[in-house]
């Protein structure tokens, strides 16, 4: 750990990378960036709804993470990083609100498509929903949510954060989180049910069977 | 399909939390019991679950580019754009406090000089005459007392701390100190023409209402002349000049003493003290100088030159006593103009310092905001 250059095997040790990065080693931190940038970007995209804003939020999240690395007390680095990502998205949304130049209306529906961002090959479970139409429909339904509900739903169902972690990120209490999440899920469900007729029958999972 | 009529928001929350395993044991048992007998609730749960599954299975996206950081991205923001570091915040906060403290001290000094000057003004004319004779006598004692006086003054006057370094050597101090003292005294001097010398000497004295430097210089110069010519007021010339220069309070008291009502004040102050004060005055001047030096040494120097051509003499505050005996003292008095200048400087410096303090505080606020922004 003393040296900036770690043995090859340690380069794969996340804890070691974090430890070195914590001392200000940018190359070690960048190794973490490469490891997590798809996850972070995905979350940012689900919340922000367009590639540009998602990219900005992602970059800010990593910069912020590097600066606050000393506050990381162990545990799940992924959760910690996603919390910072959510905050970066919040900041970005606030910034966009202050400067309507990018008009808010664009955010939710501007990009109905996940755009250039492609499914990460390494994460095959998602291949279940390969259908780009369905993906786009889900993304659009998420984007149709209000900012608060959208953030909670992304943090919970895209990030997999616990209620408590979501409360930490958003500053809302657990009761509010529960309420927002349930309403967000119901809204997305209704949204999908409205469009699912456009989808292949294989994806008409929402109908009461 | 949409929410069944019977499904309430509360039911939605229960179902949602149930999916996440966030229900208490009791809540879960109760909900499961209801699910047993409420098909609508079951359907609600199933569709919600499917929705969550669909969202969870959403593909992870591939970052459109690498988001690796460059040194510029991490450091420039802090240093170049704005230092959002705790160290900078602390530094700026301390700087703000120091600047404002020094600025206030300078202004307070100036005020005291002003008051002192006022007192001196009346006395000056009368006292001035006396000064010459006394001055000689006093001058002698002064050296002795001067040392103690210096110490006392240093202690007494908060600013002394700054001056201490310079104040030590009387001869040396005289030259530098005179200019310094001048700036501060300036304002108050205008009022007390006779006491001008004294005023000028009392650089410490702070007169917020300070007059224009020119006025002060005049007043002082006049006062000086008066003192030397009309009457031989040993105290006033020498002491007044020196004492005033040295200690604000003492200076004023002394200057007053020579004068009418001032005399009482003077009386109050022990003669020995006065002499000592004179020397101390030098020290005080030195102090004053020191303060200006730290920030605006140039100001005092310039003032001294511009304000009082005679200022050249100013350097010799001690010499003053001897000259005081003769008409020449008046010229020596010329240093007084220098003193006024210093008072002026003190006022200006005080304001400048306070402004700097405000700027520093602004930086502190910005740093705090920047830090908050970056969480």
């Amino acid at each position: 750990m003393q040296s900036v250059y770690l043995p090859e095997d340690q380069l794969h040790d996340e804890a070691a990378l974090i430890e070195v990065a914590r001392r200000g080693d940018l190359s070690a931190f960048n190794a973490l960036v490469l490891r997590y940038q798809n996850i972070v970007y995905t979350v940012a995209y689900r919340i922000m709804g367009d590639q540009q804003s998602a990219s900005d939020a992602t970059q800010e999240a990593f910069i912020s993470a590097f600066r606050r690395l000393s506050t990381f007390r162990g545990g799940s680095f992924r959760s910690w990083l996603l919390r910072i990502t959510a905050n970066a998205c919040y900041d970005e949304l606030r910034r966009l609100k202050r400067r309507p130049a990018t008009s808010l209306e664009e955010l939710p529906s501007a990009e109905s498509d996940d755009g250039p961002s492609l499914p990460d090959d390494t994460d095959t479970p998602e291949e279940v929903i390969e259908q780009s139409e369905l993906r786009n429909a889900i993304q659009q339904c998420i984007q149709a949510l209000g900012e608060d509900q959208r953030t909670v739903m992304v943090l919970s169902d895209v990030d997999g954060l616990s209620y408590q972690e979501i409360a930490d990120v958003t500053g809302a209490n657990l009761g509010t989180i529960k309420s927002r999440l349930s309403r967000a899920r119901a809204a997305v469900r209704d949204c999908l049910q409205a469009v699912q007729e456009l989808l292949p029958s294989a994806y008409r999972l929402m109908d009461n069977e | 399909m949409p929410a069944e009529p019977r499904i309430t928001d509360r039911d939605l929350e229960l179902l949602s939390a149930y999916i996440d395993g966030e229900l208490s044991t009791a809540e879960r048992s109760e909900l499961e019991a209801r699910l047993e007998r409420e098909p609508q609730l079951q359907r609600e749960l199933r569709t919600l679950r499917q929705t969550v599954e669909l969202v969870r299975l959403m593909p992870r996206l591939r970052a459109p580019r690498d988001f690796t950081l460059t040194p510029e991205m991490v450091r420039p923001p802090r240093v170049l754009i704005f230092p959002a570091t705790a160290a900078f915040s602390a530094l700026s906060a301390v700087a703000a406090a120091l600047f404002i403290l020094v600025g206030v001290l300078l202004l307070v000094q100036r005020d005291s000089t002003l008051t002192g000057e006022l007192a001196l003004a009346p006395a000056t004319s009368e006292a001035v005459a006396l000064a010459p004779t006394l001055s000689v006598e006093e001058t002698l004692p002064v050296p002795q007392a001067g040392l103690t006086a210096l110490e006392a003054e240093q202690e007494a006057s908060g600013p002394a701390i700054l001056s201490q370094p310079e104040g030590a050597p009387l001869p040396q101090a005289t030259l530098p100190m005179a200019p310094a003292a001048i700036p501060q005294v300036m304002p108050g001097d205008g009022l007390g023409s006779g006491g001008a010398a004294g005023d000028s000497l009392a650089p410490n004295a702070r007169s917020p209402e300070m007059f224009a430097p020119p006025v002060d210089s005049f007043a002082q110069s006049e006062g000086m002349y008066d003192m030397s010519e009309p009457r031989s007021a040993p105290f006033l010339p020498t002491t007044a000049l020196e004492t005033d220069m040295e200690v604000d309070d003492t200076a004023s008291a002394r200057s007053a003493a020579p004068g009418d009502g001032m005399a009482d004040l003077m009386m109050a102050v022990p003669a020995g003290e006065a002499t000592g004060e004179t020397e101390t005055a030098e020290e005080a001047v030195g102090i004053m100088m020191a303060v200006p030096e730290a920030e605006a040494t140039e100001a005092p120097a310039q003032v001294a030159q511009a304000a009082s051509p005679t200022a050249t003499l100013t350097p010799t505050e001690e010499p003053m006593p001897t000259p005081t005996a003769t008409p020449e003292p008046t010229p020596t008095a010329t240093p007084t103009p220098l003193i006024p200048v210093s008072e002026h400087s003190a006022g200006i410096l005080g304001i400048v310092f306070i402004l700097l303090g405000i700027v520093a505080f602004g930086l502190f606020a910005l740093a705090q905001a920047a830090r908050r922004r970056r969480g």
Side-chain angles (χ1 to χ4, degrees), chain A residues 58-165:
Chain A
T58 300
Q59 190 67 78
E60 280 306 311
F62 281 122
I63 291 174
S64 177
F66 181 74
R67 291 191 176 131
R68 290 199 261 169
L69 206 50
S70 60
T71 68
F72 175 63
R73 303 296 181 205
S76 168
F77 181 71
R78 182 175 178 278
S79 293
W80 180 80
L81 188 57
L82 289 179
R83 230 173 294 161
I84 289 179
T85 302
N87 279 326
C89 289
Y90 264 29
D91 290 344
E92 184 69 10
L93 286 172
R94 261 181 253 130
R95 194 179 66 79
L96 292 174
K97 268 182 192 168
R98 282 198 302 268
R99 308 175 192 173
T102 318
S103 107
L104 277 179
E105 299 103 48
E106 278 186 44
L107 295 182
S109 54
E111 280 192 44
S112 58
D113 187 44
D114 278 4
S117 14
L118 305 171
D120 193 315
D121 309 319
T122 61
D123 302 295
T124 48
E126 290 81 356
E127 287 174 4
V128 175
I129 316 181
E130 271 180 323
Q131 257 284 337
S132 69
E133 283 175 86
L134 179 56
R135 287 205 310 263
N136 291 339
I138 295 172
Q139 175 71 30
Q140 277 192 306
C141 287
I142 292 175
Q143 289 305 310
L145 295 172
E147 182 186 314
D148 288 336
Q149 288 186 18
R150 182 169 71 244
T151 303
V152 170
M153 185 163 190
V154 170
L155 290 176
S156 170
D157 297 341
V158 175
D159 291 15
L161 295 189
S162 70
Y163 286 13
Q164 185 56 57
E165 287 173 319

Side-chain angles (χ1 to χ4, degrees), chain B residues 192-205:
Chain B
S193 60
D199 295 349
S200 61
L201 294 171
N204 300 328

Side-chain angles (χ1 to χ4, degrees), chain B residues 84-301:
Chain B
T85 64
F88 184 86
S89 291
L91 243 171
S92 55
V94 170
L98 281 180
F99 277 135
I100 291 175
L101 180 68
V102 173
V104 169
L105 278 178
L106 283 173
L107 289 180
V108 170
Q109 286 184 350
R110 195 219 266 167
D111 293 351
S112 60
T113 34
L114 287 175
T115 51
E117 290 173 352
L118 294 172
L120 293 167
T124 48
S125 59
E126 302 175 358
V128 174
L130 299 171
T133 50
L134 293 174
S135 64
V136 177
E137 298 175 357
E138 293 178 359
T139 51
L140 295 173
V142 174
Q144 304 169 349
L147 298 175
T148 53
L150 292 170
E151 297 173 354
E153 291 179 357
Q154 292 177 351
E155 296 174 355
S157 58
I161 302 173
L162 298 172
S163 63
Q164 289 183 355
E166 299 177 356
L170 294 175
Q172 303 172 352
T174 50
L175 293 172
M177 297 174 76
I182 295 169
Q184 300 175 347
V185 178
M186 295 286 294
D189 294 351
L191 294 172
S193 60
D199 295 349
S200 61
L201 294 171
N204 300 328
R206 313 97 197 178
S207 57
E209 318 134 350
M210 301 187 53
F211 301 86
V215 179
D216 295 346
S217 63
F218 283 102
Q220 295 176 356
S221 62
E222 294 175 358
M224 296 297 290
Y225 287 95
D226 295 348
M227 299 194 49
S228 61
E229 298 174 357
R231 310 160 188 174
S232 63
F235 286 99
L236 294 174
T238 51
T239 55
L241 294 170
E242 296 175 1
T243 51
D244 293 351
M245 304 281 292
E246 300 167 12
V247 184
D248 303 345
D249 301 345
T250 53
S252 60
R254 296 170 185 170
S255 59
D260 308 340
M262 313 307 285
D264 299 345
L265 297 174
M266 295 297 288
M267 297 298 285
V269 182
E273 296 178 0
T275 54
E277 291 173 350
T278 53
E279 292 181 357
T280 48
E282 295 176 354
E283 296 177 353
V285 177
I287 298 172
M288 296 298 290
M289 296 298 289
V291 178
E293 291 175 359
E295 301 155 354
T297 358
E298 321 104 358

Side-chain angles (χ1 to χ4, degrees), chain A residues 26 29-30 33-34 37-39 41-42 45-46 51 55 58-59 62-64 66-68 91 114 117-121 123 125-126 128-129 135 138-139 153 157-158 163 179 181-182 185-186 188-189 192-193 205-209, chain B residues 1-4 9 12-20 22-23 27 43-48 50-78 373-375:
Chain A
L26 207 50
F29 184 78
N30 278 336
V33 170
L34 292 174
Q37 62 182 2
N38 288 340
I39 296 175
Y41 175 78
T42 299
Y45 182 86
R46 298 294 178 223
Q51 192 185 336
S55 294
T58 300
Q59 190 67 78
F62 281 122
I63 291 174
S64 177
F66 181 74
R67 291 191 176 131
R68 290 199 261 169
D91 290 344
D114 278 4
S117 14
L118 305 171
D120 193 315
D121 309 319
D123 302 295
E126 290 81 356
V128 175
I129 316 181
R135 287 205 310 263
I138 295 172
Q139 175 71 30
M153 185 163 190
D157 297 341
V158 175
Y163 286 13
S179 169
L181 182 56
S182 67
R185 284 169 170 171
V188 169
R189 177 198 58 193
L192 286 176
Q193 285 177 333
L205 306 174
M206 312 307 296
D207 281 321
N208 307 319
E209 297 168 11
Chain B
M1 304 288 82
E4 316 237 17
D9 284 350
L12 261 185
E13 280 185 39
L14 286 172
L15 292 171
S16 178
Y18 179 70
I19 292 171
D20 295 320
E22 296 270 357
L23 285 184
E27 286 174 325
R43 220 177 312 153
E44 192 75 9
L45 175 64
R46 187 169 60 247
T47 56
L48 280 178
Q50 290 171 332
T51 302
V52 171
E53 276 305 299
L54 282 175
V55 174
R56 281 183 183 159
L57 291 179
M58 284 284 277
R60 177 174 302 170
L61 304 181
R62 178 172 296 157
R65 63 180 172 86
D66 281 347
F67 290 99
T68 49
L69 305 183
T70 63
E72 296 73 41
M73 295 171 71
V74 178
R75 284 156 201 169
R78 288 180 183 170
R373 223 175 295 130
R374 299 186 179 155

